[in-house]
C-alpha cells in the first residue's frame, strides 16, 4: 500500500487526493508535520515539498509524476479516449499547475483573512496540534511563504494580471459546465480535471473564495464531484457513456493559456537565454557584466504587465509545452478541423512570433511537426 504525505492547504495535495481516490489504488494519507518533513520526506526525496507518494524507500514528490505513476496502475481511465487529445489534456494539467496556481497563491497570501486562516492551518498541521509550536510555525509561514513566492510572480505588482486571469477562467468554466460532459474533456475526470480541482478547490475553500462560490453554481457542482473523490472515502461520480466534449467549447480556456502562461514562458525563455549568454561571456573573461538582472516582464492578453525573475525551471516548462503542442499537431486534421481552426491560428501565430528571434529559431528545431524549423 502507498502512503501519501500531504497537507490540507496545498493545491497539489488536493489534486493528488482526488486523483488517488478516483484511481482505486490503495493508499493511506499522512498529514505532514515538522518531524516527518525532515526525517521522512527530505530523507527520501532530498526536498521538503509535498505531496509525496511513498512505497517503502521509493518516493515521488511531484504531483504530475505521481499522476503518471498512478496512470499505469489504475483500472480507471484518466486520459481522453481520443489519442489526439492526450497531449492537450497534459497541456491543461500543466497550465493549472504552473499558471492557475499563481492566482490562487496571490489571493491566498495577499488577502488578510485568507493569509491568517491558511497560516493557522499550516501551523496546526506542521506543529502536530501542539499549541505553542503550531502558533509559532503558523506565524512564521505567514512571513516566509509570501517572500518565497515573489520570484514566481506572486506579488502586488502582478495583482491586475493575476486577478483578471482568475476572473476570466472562473467565467469561462461556469459557461463550459452549463452543458456537455461532466468534466473538462470527458464524462469521467482526466489528469487535467484533477489539476484544475487542486487550484480551484483550494480557492473556494479560502475566505475570499467562500464568499463567491454561489456566483458559480455549475463550477461549484463540478468541483463537488471531484471533492467527493478525495481520499479517504472516495465516491466516484462519472458517466462512462457520455460523449467527449467538442473542442471548440474549450477555446476560451486555451485562449487564456495562450494569453497568459504562454507569454510568460516566451519572455522567460528569451530573458534566461540572454542571462546564460552573459554568464558564459563572463566565465570566458571577454566581458565583465553587471551581474544577473533580478526581474523581467511581459505583457498579458489584456494588456497588463507581469513581472517575474527568469529561471531555468520556467525554461524547462516551456520546452515541455512545446513538446506537447508538437505532438498534438500530428493530429491536426482531427484536432483543428472546422471550428478548431481559430485555435490552430492562435497557436501558430504565437509560435511564429517566437521564431523571429535567433534563440527561438534554434529551440524550434527540436519540434519538427510545427513546420517552423
Amino acid at each position: 500500500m502507498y502512503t501519501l504525505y500531504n497537507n490540507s492547504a496545498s493545491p497539489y495535495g488536493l489534486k493528488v487526493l482526488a486523483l488517488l481516490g478516483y484511481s482505486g489504488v490503495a493508499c493511506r494519507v499522512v498529514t505532514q508535520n515538522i518531524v516527518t518533513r525532515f526525517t521522512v520526506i527530505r530523507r527520501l526525496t532530498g526536498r521538503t515539498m509535498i505531496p509525496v507518494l511513498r512505497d517503502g524507500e521509493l518516493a515521488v514528490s511531484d504531483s504530475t509524476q505521481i499522476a503518471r505513476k498512478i496512470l499505469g496502475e489504475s483500472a480507471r481511465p484518466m486520459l481522453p479516449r481520443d489519442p489526439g487529445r492526450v497531449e492537450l489534456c497534459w497541456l491543461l494539467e500543466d497550465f493549472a499547475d504552473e499558471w492557475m496556481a499563481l492566482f490562487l497563491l496571490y489571493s491566498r497570501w495577499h488577502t488578510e483573512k485568507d493569509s491568517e486562516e491558511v497560516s493557522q492551518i499550516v501551523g496546526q498541521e506542521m506543529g502536530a496540534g501542539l499549541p505553542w509550536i503550531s502558533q509559532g510555525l503558523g506565524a512564521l509561514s505567514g512571513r516566509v511563504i509570501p517572500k518565497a513566492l515573489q520570484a514566481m510572480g506572486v506579488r502586488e505588482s502582478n495583482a491586475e494580471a493575476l486577478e483578471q486571469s482568475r476572473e476570466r477562467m472562473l467565467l469561462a468554466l461556469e459557461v463550459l459546465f452549463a452543458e456537455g460532459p461532466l468534466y473538462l474533456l470527458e464524462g469521467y475526470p482526466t489528469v487535467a480535471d484533477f489539476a484544475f480541482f487542486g487550484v480551484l478547490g483550494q480557492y473556494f475553500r479560502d475566505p475570499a473564495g467562500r464568499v463567491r462560490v454561489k456566483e458559480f453554481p455549475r463550477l461549484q457542482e463540478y468541483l463537488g464531484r471531484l471533492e467527493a473523490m478525495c481520499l479517504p472515502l472516495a465516491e466516484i461520480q462519472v458517466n462512462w457513456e457520455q460523449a467527449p466534449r467538442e473542442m471548440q467549447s474549450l477555446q476560451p480556456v486555451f485562449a487564456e493559456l495562450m494569453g497568459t502562461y504562454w507569454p510568460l514562458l516566451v519572455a522567460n525563455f528569451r530573458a534566461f537565454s540572454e542571462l546564460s549568454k552573459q554568464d558564459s561571456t563572463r566565465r570566458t573573461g571577454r566581458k565583465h557584466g553587471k551581474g544577473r538582472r533580478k526581474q523581467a516582464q511581459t505583457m498579458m492578453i489584456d494588456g497588463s504587465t507581469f513581472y517575474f525573475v527568469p529561471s531555468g525551471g520556467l525554461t524547462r516548462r516551456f520546452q515541455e509545452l512545446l513538446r506537447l503542442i508538437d505532438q498534438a499537431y500530428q493530429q491536426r486534421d482531427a484536432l483543428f478541423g472546422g471550428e478548431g481552426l481559430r485555435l490552430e491560428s492562435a497557436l501558430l501565430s504565437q509560435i511564429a512570433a517566437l521564431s523571429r528571434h535567433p534563440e527561438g529559431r534554434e529551440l524550434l528545431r527540436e519540434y519538427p511537426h510545427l513546420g517552423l524549423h
Side-chain angles (χ1 to χ4, degrees):
M1 176 184 290
Y2 286 110
T3 298
L4 179 70
Y5 291 91
N6 200 16
N7 77 44
S8 61
S10 168
Y12 308 108
L14 187 59
K15 164 188 173 181
V16 171
L17 278 178
L19 185 149
L20 284 167
Y22 167 79
S23 75
V25 173
C27 183
R28 70 185 185 103
V29 181
V30 174
T31 300
Q32 175 198 225
N33 59 43
I34 195 67
V35 176
T36 56
R37 181 181 179 92
F38 294 100
T39 63
V40 178
I41 295 172
R42 190 168 70 175
R43 178 178 65 82
L44 290 173
T45 68
R47 303 186 295 176
T48 57
M49 298 170 58
I50 51 92
V52 170
L53 186 67
R54 179 184 183 183
D55 182 12
E57 290 301 298
L58 300 176
V60 183
S61 63
D62 176 84
S63 67
T64 299
Q65 295 308 312
I66 291 173
R68 291 187 181 278
K69 180 174 180 59
I70 296 301
L71 266 173
E73 301 184 26
S74 175
R76 294 178 178 136
M78 284 186 270
L79 293 174
R81 284 170 282 190
D82 182 349
R85 296 187 177 192
V86 169
E87 281 76 18
L88 291 184
C89 178
W90 285 112
L91 199 67
L92 291 174
E93 189 258 3
D94 187 65
F95 172 56
D97 278 359
E98 304 297 334
W99 173 262
M100 290 172 59
L102 298 185
F103 61 62
L104 160 70
L105 294 170
Y106 178 79
S107 174
R108 170 170 287 180
W109 294 106
H110 290 81
T111 305
E112 186 175 356
K113 288 185 178 180
D114 291 36
S115 179
E116 290 177 354
E117 183 171 302
V118 176
S119 294
Q120 186 177 20
I121 292 171
V122 172
Q124 288 174 344
E125 295 187 352
M126 288 292 290
L130 298 174
W132 294 108
I133 295 176
S134 298
Q135 185 177 2
L137 289 173
L140 180 64
S141 70
R143 296 192 300 271
V144 172
I145 294 176
K147 290 181 181 179
L149 294 173
Q150 287 186 14
M152 298 166 55
V154 181
R155 56 176 79 170
E156 290 285 356
S157 57
N158 290 331
E160 181 182 6
L162 293 172
E163 290 176 346
Q164 291 302 313
S165 180
R166 181 191 68 219
E167 294 307 300
R168 287 192 297 268
M169 280 301 301
L170 293 177
L171 289 171
L173 292 171
E174 180 67 14
V175 172
L176 185 73
F177 291 114
E179 58 184 24
L182 294 174
Y183 300 95
L184 286 170
L185 296 162
E186 301 276 358
Y188 58 85
T190 64
V191 292
D193 290 285
F194 295 119
F196 273 57
F197 170 62
V199 172
L200 298 176
Q202 289 288 5
Y203 173 70
F204 285 117
R205 288 183 178 189
D206 290 350
R210 287 202 298 266
V211 302
R212 303 193 60 203
V213 68
K214 291 183 180 180
E215 299 175 35
F216 306 98
R218 293 182 177 89
L219 180 54
Q220 183 181 11
E221 291 172 359
Y222 164 72
L223 297 175
R225 289 191 288 272
L226 289 158
E227 181 83 41
M229 296 180 187
C230 288
L231 291 173
L233 300 173
E235 178 186 339
I236 310 304
Q237 301 178 44
V238 299
N239 183 344
W240 306 107
E241 304 302 321
Q242 199 166 24
R245 189 176 300 280
E246 296 292 331
M247 285 303 299
Q248 59 264 32
S249 64
L250 282 164
Q251 286 183 1
V253 176
F254 280 103
E256 188 64 25
L257 185 158
M258 297 305 294
T260 55
Y261 188 36
W262 176 271
L264 169 61
L265 293 177
V266 171
N268 177 80
F269 174 73
R270 295 187 61 196
F272 195 74
S273 296
E274 183 60 32
L275 290 175
S276 298
K277 289 178 184 177
Q278 292 174 7
D279 286 348
S280 177
T281 300
R282 285 195 293 272
R283 283 195 298 270
T284 58
R286 292 196 300 267
K287 179 181 178 181
H288 296 286
K290 296 182 179 179
R292 282 181 176 266
R293 287 177 291 174
K294 298 297 184 183
Q295 182 170 275
Q297 64 185 65
T298 188
M299 183 174 291
M300 301 278 100
I301 190 173
D302 57 4
S304 60
T305 302
F306 188 84
Y307 301 91
F308 64 98
V309 176
S311 72
L314 281 176
T315 295
R316 290 187 290 274
R317 299 316 313 154
F318 187 40
Q319 292 168 331
E320 175 63 11
L321 195 77
L322 283 171
R323 185 191 70 79
L324 291 170
I325 294 173
D326 182 59
Q327 291 299 309
Y329 206 72
Q330 293 184 74
Q331 307 287 334
R332 70 172 303 277
D333 290 338
L335 188 62
F336 298 116
E339 293 296 323
L341 288 174
R342 290 174 55 197
L343 174 58
E344 179 183 22
S345 177
L347 284 169
L348 286 184
S349 65
Q350 295 283 2
I351 293 170
L354 177 64
S355 70
R356 299 188 189 116
H357 307 284
E359 62 271 18
R361 289 195 294 273
E362 184 64 29
L363 177 64
L364 288 172
R365 293 180 189 276
E366 302 175 25
Y367 307 97
H369 300 108
L370 297 178
L372 294 170
H373 59 291

